[in-house]
Structures are given as C-alpha cells and as structure tokens.
Amino acid sequence: MASAARRRQAFGEGFALFAECLLTGVWFALAALPVVTIPAALAAASRHLAAYAEGDATSWGAFWSDLRVAWRQSWRAGLALVGAAVVLVLNLVVLAQEGVPGRPGFALATFVIAGLAVTVLLRAGADWSPGERWRSLFARGVEAARTDASGTGILLGGVAVLAACAWALWLLVVPMSGCLIGAAVAVRRRRIAREEEAATGV
C-alpha cells in the first residue's frame, strides 16, 4: 500500500511538473513575440521552472519581474539572435534553389549547426540569474555542450521534436517550447549533480 501511494504521489508530482511546463510555454511564447526578447524570455522561463522544481514560491508576477531584469541584460544577445536568424533564413533560401552544388550536405550542416546553437542558447538561459553577463553564459553553454555530450543529445532531440511539432501544427510550438525549456533545466540540474558527486568523490 505504501509503495502504491508513493507511485501515485510520484505520478501526481510528475504530471504537475508537466502541466507547469506547458503553462510556462504559453508565458514564454507571449514574452518572446518580439523575437528580440527570446533570450530574456528563455531566462525567465528557465528560472521559473527551476524554482518550481525546487519547491520554491513562484508566480506569474515573478516571471515577468525576471523578464524585465533579463531584458535589460540581454537585449544585445537578442539583437545578435535576430541577426543569426536572418543569416539562417537567407542560407536556407539559397539552398532551396535548384543547382546549388552539394546542397544536401550544406543543408544538413546548416540544420546541425542551428540545432547546436539552440542547445547553447537553452543552456545559457537555464544558467541565467540576475546580474549574469550573457557573454559568460554563452561561454559556459558552449563548454557544457562540449563536455556533457549526453545532455547535448537530449537537448538536440528536444529541438528536433519541437521542429517536427512546428512542421505538423505550429500551435504545438507554444506548449512544447515549455517542455524543451524544462528539459534544459533538468539537464543543468543533472550536470551540476554530477559535478558535485565528482568533487566529493562519491
């Protein structure tokens, strides 16, 4: 009986976290509408889900408060993101033309590079806290992507699922983006736990 109760409690907690991810996806989508605010929205959403997972008090108001703080620190990163997106779109437009030499290989490389860039952005957002410099966040994101191959694989898989959802039905991007941010938070928590275990020799 006790084991069954624990399983029901674990299921309830897991489903509640899933529901919170879906709700956070809606908040993220609203905050990210201007596009240039995507890094700030990602940071605020990650901080919200991290607080929820830790059992700390969090709310809609706290999310928007974090968003305002993150925006003041991330607008340059947002502009850089817009620029990178424009370059990506132009590259895809060129690759869509017939007769481009090596088009399949270049298209695959473009998608892989874009996917890896998104994983770095996800890691940077999940690692954000007020006062952090985004240059340092991106540097740590690149290092984490290099040293935590399994975490990078998880995030790449999540990016691929999100892209498939966008292709099948674009509205699915809204809730599924929250799940992807939740995955970034989980990957960060797992990496920190592994580093602490390695430091203590457990």
Side-chain angles (χ1 to χ4, degrees), residues 18-46:
F18 175 67
E20 193 68 25
C21 286
L22 298 183
L23 176 61
T24 303
V26 176
W27 295 358
F28 168 79
L30 290 174
L33 277 176
V35 181
V36 73
T37 57
I38 286 177
L42 179 59
S46 298

Side-chain angles (χ1 to χ4, degrees), residues 137-155:
L137 290 172
F138 283 125
R140 292 204 300 267
V142 170
E143 178 64 16
R146 185 182 66 83
T147 57
D148 180 19
S150 60
T152 300
I154 291 171
L155 294 178

Side-chain angles (χ1 to χ4, degrees), residues 21 24-26 28-29 122 162 172-182:
C21 286
T24 303
V26 176
F28 168 79
L122 286 166
L162 184 65
L172 291 176
V173 172
V174 175
M176 291 308 297
S177 61
C179 295
L180 182 57
I181 295 169

Side-chain angles (χ1 to χ4, degrees), residues 56-147:
D56 298 333
T58 185
S59 64
W60 165 272
F63 171 84
W64 289 103
S65 177
D66 282 337
L67 178 67
R68 288 192 295 270
V69 174
W71 165 246
R72 288 196 294 268
Q73 301 169 350
S74 70
W75 63 270
R76 292 182 182 85
L79 290 175
L81 177 65
V82 171
V86 170
V87 171
L88 173 64
V89 170
L90 291 176
N91 193 34
L92 292 177
V93 169
V94 172
L95 290 174
Q97 307 300 315
E98 294 290 341
V100 176
R103 185 170 64 165
F106 282 117
L108 178 60
T110 298
F111 286 122
V112 170
I113 292 172
L116 289 172
V118 173
T119 65
V120 171
L121 178 62
L122 286 166
R123 287 182 181 273
D127 209 22
W128 177 83
S129 60
E132 286 275 12
R133 294 175 59 87
W134 278 84
R135 182 176 297 179
S136 299
L137 290 172
F138 283 125
R140 292 204 300 267
V142 170
E143 178 64 16
R146 185 182 66 83
T147 57

